[in-house]
Amino acid sequence: FNASRGGAGGAGGGAAPALTTAEHVVAALTARGVAHNRADHCHVTAVPCENRRRLEAFLHGCAGDDAVSLDTMLANPRVGAYLASCRTPDGATYTFPQKVAHITL
């Protein structure tokens, strides 16, 4: 399932895939009486600005869509502004804070 939220979705104007969140998974497990543990973690993905291929691949994964090029995302007023806000003060790295849930049975 795709549990990402946010990212570069919408840059190409296409319909985004339906998202399954940790809340959906926990609700389904609970409804079925399945014992589980959930641990929430925060981390930051850092991508050097000069590594355009890695940045594009990361953003494709966030969007669940690999049809939009990095250049198109950067040129999009909303997505480009968001990406600019993710750069470190020295401009060398894009940083993407993320919250993830690890669910174990």
Side-chain angles (χ1 to χ4, degrees):
F1 63 88
N2 181 349
S4 67
R5 285 187 180 255
L19 298 178
T20 301
T21 66
E23 288 74 19
H24 293 126
V25 174
V26 167
L29 292 171
T30 301
R32 288 163 181 77
V34 177
H36 61 277
N37 296 303
R38 174 181 174 161
D40 294 325
H41 301 279
C42 295
H43 68 93
V44 175
T45 298
V47 181
C49 291
E50 74 270 1
N51 194 337
R52 292 177 54 87
R53 195 171 88 199
R54 183 172 166 213
L55 177 61
E56 185 174 64
F58 174 77
L59 295 172
H60 284 161
C62 291
D65 180 2
D66 63 359
V68 180
S69 72
L70 178 59
D71 289 333
T72 299
M73 287 185 258
L74 291 169
N76 179 280
R78 285 189 4 219
V79 177
Y82 166 73
L83 292 173
S85 77
C86 294
R87 289 182 81 153
T88 55
D90 65 3
T93 306
Y94 287 96
T95 58
F96 302 96
Q98 298 172 320
K99 290 168 49 173
V100 297
H102 295 268
I103 301 168
T104 56
L105 305 180

